[in-house]
Amino acid sequence: MSGFMGHEPDGKPGQPKTVKEWVFTLDHKVIGVWYLIGSIASFVVAGLAATAMRIELGSVGPDITDNGDIYNLWLTMHGAVMILGFQIPALLGFVANWAVPIMVGGKDMAFPRVNAMSVWLLWSGILLALLNLVIPDSYNGMWTGYPPYSLTDAVGNTALYSSVVIILGMSSVFGAVNLACTVAFMRCKGMGWFQMPLTVWCVFTANVIQLIFVPVLAASVLLLSMDKYLGFGFYNPEVGGDVLLYQNLFWFYSHPAVYVILLPFMGILFEIFAVSARNDVFNYKATVWATIAFIPVSSDVWVHHAYVAGLPDWLRLLQTFTTLLISLPFGLLMLSLTGTMYRGAIRYTGPMWWAVGAFFMLIIGALTGIPNALSAIDYGISDSYVIMSHFHYVMAVSGGMAIFAGVFFWFPKLTGRMCNSFMTKLTAAGFFIGMNIVMGPLYFAGMEGMPRRYMDYQMYADNATIVSAQHWSTIGIYITFVSALLMIVVWLHGAIAGEKATSANPWGSQSLEFTATAIIPGQGNFPTPVSVPEGWHPYNFIDNPKPEFEPHPGHTGGHH
């Protein structure tokens, strides 16, 4: 079987052959590839912005620029593009589109045309965001868009910011409706809710959160532009508005958005851990319920982003409790990941190296998140490097490593070829070491009082801890940059000249995308409609019954 996306059951090529076919495709797998390409392109742009900032901070005084607007542009592009252009599209775009329909035994998404519209809305938003690099009044108000600064002329084009957020939000909402319907109504015969892979559960739950909270974000940035360009006063205190209204609306979405990213990437880790350890997921049903618990609990924690904004004590106390409460479902997921590896026959494949790296990054980020939840402690470290490092560990770095683990894991199904195992492990080790050197020292700089978002630290030039931390962090970004660049080279080499996959299931998974499809799934995914027999489970590695297929039309007899 040849071709990028395989063949249909009757032998008709399933690979798009023209630009028109690629652009107007309705195949969920090709759309998933479009999401992946867009997210990796966004990762490159956001990574370059991060590298530029880190070089600028390598020593006291200007290194690349002394223009604060340029530095703010890098900061804005890094945060907005990394979250809205890389992580969310990679997880709720690529994983949700390419993997989930096959994992539940569906032939496509529930609404293929809506699916195509979602991906092109994403690309429209990405291209619009990239215009920020070339337009004369580029927006530099960070990814949060806080007023009153975002209402001034100094911030640049606030309308561009609002438009990008709303377009990407529309893409997310359409995709979330599609994914939820696919999981609810297109599972194959025999697959119950508690027979779905945890990747599916995590992506499904994340999309439910998106459906609930994305409209709040869209409304908040729309009101922002209405204030600035039409003279409304929602956030302007001079006419009766309140800047804290925006902060509350923004984080009412954006903290649940942490779990929109966290849950899918933990779903990837569950898949890779279970397959690599050849173990059933520890406490599977409790893990599913813990995943679902993020829907209500995630809505009650946003105020901890405003502890220092003049809130009453009773509200800070309540939000301290709800923030700590979310550690319960999260702790269950981490316990389940650990238990899945316990006494397993672990094979440290290339994807497993990336997954283990993500797991340890997540542990560091989670442990440093507990004190951040306490308002008494947060008072002293708010808006410092401590908060920035915690956020990067718990979501940015661990999430990125999990996404890359997923790409390596499903790479043979995407291309029909294998990535070089040694180079995959080398890039994982380099990225892990580099990012720990980048982020680890900055915890200590934050404890010394270094504020986030500053382009220089002349006022701390006599603080050896801060200066040393900034220096080491910049060394770490060079290691990370080389590792990330090498990773992309490994992907390109694997796709073009990598060793051909000789099995449709090179990792020994029990999930349908490996056990019921060809090396590269064709259009419609399965040769004929698939079903799973009684007793089948995606994490049964001992005596799991095989998936079954309906006979071809015109054929008689049993399954084949």
Side-chain angles (χ1 to χ4, degrees):
M1 180 169 287
S2 61
F4 188 73
M5 300 308 296
H7 291 264
E8 292 188 64
D10 60 2
K12 180 181 177 181
Q15 173 191 6
K17 286 185 167 44
T18 65
V19 173
K20 180 180 178 180
E21 289 178 347
W22 271 99
V23 171
F24 293 102
T25 183
L26 299 180
D27 187 333
H28 73 98
K29 297 183 295 300
V30 182
I31 290 173
V33 171
W34 273 117
Y35 271 110
L36 179 61
I37 294 171
S39 63
I40 296 303
S42 297
F43 170 75
V44 171
V45 172
L48 289 172
T51 303
M53 287 190 293
R54 204 55 265 153
I55 294 173
E56 177 58 43
L57 291 166
S59 60
V60 176
D63 290 295
I64 301 179
T65 181
D66 58 359
N67 187 328
D69 288 338
I70 292 177
Y71 183 85
N72 279 349
L73 176 62
W74 295 339
L75 188 57
T76 300
M77 294 300 291
H78 170 67
V81 175
M82 194 66 86
I83 293 172
L84 300 175
F86 166 53
Q87 287 196 316
I88 291 179
L91 294 164
L92 301 190
F94 165 62
V95 176
N97 274 270
W98 190 91
V100 168
I102 313 180
M103 290 177 127
V104 299
K107 64 179 182 179
D108 209 312
M109 295 285 275
F111 307 111
R113 294 185 185 278
V114 174
N115 200 27
M117 180 173 66
S118 298
V119 74
W120 292 118
L121 281 172
L122 167 76
W123 271 92
S124 300
I126 290 174
L127 294 176
L128 194 61
L130 292 178
L131 287 178
N132 200 48
L133 297 171
V134 296
I135 60 175
D137 58 339
S138 57
Y139 171 81
N140 62 17
M142 266 60 75
W143 76 283
T144 53
Y146 281 164
Y149 181 57
S150 55
L151 301 179
T152 66
D153 291 334
V155 77
N157 198 326
T158 304
L160 177 67
Y161 169 76
S162 299
S163 299
V164 169
V165 171
I166 290 171
I167 289 172
L168 294 178
M170 290 172 61
S171 172
S172 294
V173 168
F174 289 138
V177 171
N178 210 348
L179 189 280
C181 291
T182 300
V183 172
F185 301 112
M186 297 192 66
R187 299 192 310 278
C188 69
K189 182 179 178 181
M191 181 178 287
W193 283 96
F194 287 99
Q195 290 175 291
M196 296 194 306
L198 279 170
T199 302
V200 177
W201 269 113
C202 290
V203 172
F204 176 76
T205 303
N207 276 285
V208 173
I209 294 174
Q210 285 283 81
L211 281 173
I212 297 171
F213 295 105
V214 163
V216 179
L217 176 66
S220 67
V221 299
L222 178 62
L223 298 183
L224 197 67
S225 287
M226 292 172 68
D227 269 19
K228 181 171 182 178
Y229 299 107
L230 300 178
F232 287 76
F234 299 105
Y235 309 129
N236 185 354
E238 295 181 0
V239 292
D242 187 352
V243 292
L244 292 184
L245 172 62
Y246 179 85
Q247 188 172 353
N248 278 276
L249 289 174
F250 180 86
W251 287 110
F252 189 68
Y253 162 77
S254 295
H255 199 86
V258 170
Y259 309 110
V260 166
I261 295 172
L262 175 79
L263 288 173
F265 84 64
M266 290 194 78
I268 295 173
L269 298 185
F270 273 112
E271 205 66 28
I272 296 175
F273 276 30
V275 170
S276 298
R278 300 196 64 76
N279 251 352
D280 189 4
V281 168
F282 178 73
N283 224 352
Y284 170 85
K285 285 192 176 181
T287 305
V288 170
W289 288 114
T291 301
I292 297 172
F294 277 93
I295 298 174
V297 178
S298 68
S299 65
D300 297 327
V301 296
W302 83 94
V303 175
H304 68 236
H305 291 274
Y307 276 160
V308 298
L311 302 175
D313 289 340
W314 68 266
L315 184 55
R316 278 193 290 262
L317 180 62
L318 177 63
Q319 287 287 307
T320 296
F321 171 75
T322 56
T323 301
L324 290 172
L325 186 65
I326 208 163
S327 64
L328 295 179
F330 176 78
L332 276 172
L333 295 184
M334 295 298 287
L335 178 64
S336 182
L337 278 171
T338 306
T340 300
M341 290 190 293
Y342 178 64
R343 301 186 70 175
I346 302 175
R347 297 169 299 162
Y348 285 98
T349 61
M352 186 60 171
W353 274 55
W354 279 97
V356 169
F359 178 69
F360 278 102
M361 290 291 198
L362 192 54
I363 290 176
I364 296 172
L367 291 176
T368 56
I370 295 173
N372 292 347
L374 306 176
S375 57
I377 294 177
D378 189 73
Y379 255 81
I381 59 177
S382 180
D383 280 330
S384 75
Y385 270 27
V386 175
I387 302 297
M388 182 199 67
S389 295
H390 158 71
F391 175 81
H392 279 78
Y393 265 110
V394 80
M395 191 177 81
V397 182
S398 53
M401 293 193 73
I403 290 168
F404 302 143
V407 173
F408 280 109
F409 184 67
W410 286 303
F411 194 87
K413 308 299 294 185
L414 289 165
T415 66
R417 296 178 180 272
M418 303 292 292
C419 287
N420 182 280
S421 178
F422 173 77
M423 295 303 296
T424 300
K425 295 175 183 178
L426 180 65
T427 56
F431 197 93
F432 178 81
I433 293 169
M435 284 310 305
N436 273 292
I437 296 176
V438 170
M439 288 299 161
L442 298 185
Y443 273 120
F444 298 97
M447 294 301 294
E448 291 290 319
M450 178 68 200
R452 65 195 301 188
R453 303 190 181 103
Y454 277 38
M455 72 171 291
D456 196 20
Y457 45 100
Q458 184 69 50
M459 70 290 287
Y460 299 107
D462 59 346
N463 188 311
T465 300
I466 290 178
V467 173
S468 176
Q470 296 283 10
H471 175 70
W472 278 103
S473 183
T474 301
I475 292 175
I477 204 67
Y478 291 124
I479 300 173
T480 305
F481 181 88
V482 171
S483 300
L485 180 63
L486 188 58
M487 174 187 69
I488 294 174
V489 171
V490 170
W491 285 340
L492 293 174
H493 175 269
I496 297 169
E499 180 184 350
K500 289 186 177 180
T502 58
S503 168
N505 190 7
W507 313 120
S509 171
Q510 296 298 303
S511 187
L512 293 181
E513 80 271 27
F514 286 102
T515 60
T517 66
I519 290 178
I520 304 178
Q523 290 184 4
N525 299 332
F526 307 99
T528 58
V530 66
S531 63
V532 293
E534 185 178 355
W536 179 90
H537 198 272
Y539 304 116
N540 181 359
F541 292 93
I542 300 176
D543 55 356
N544 209 23
K546 294 182 179 180
E548 300 172 345
F549 299 92
E550 294 182 7
H552 280 292
H555 288 208
T556 60
H559 297 291
H560 58 84

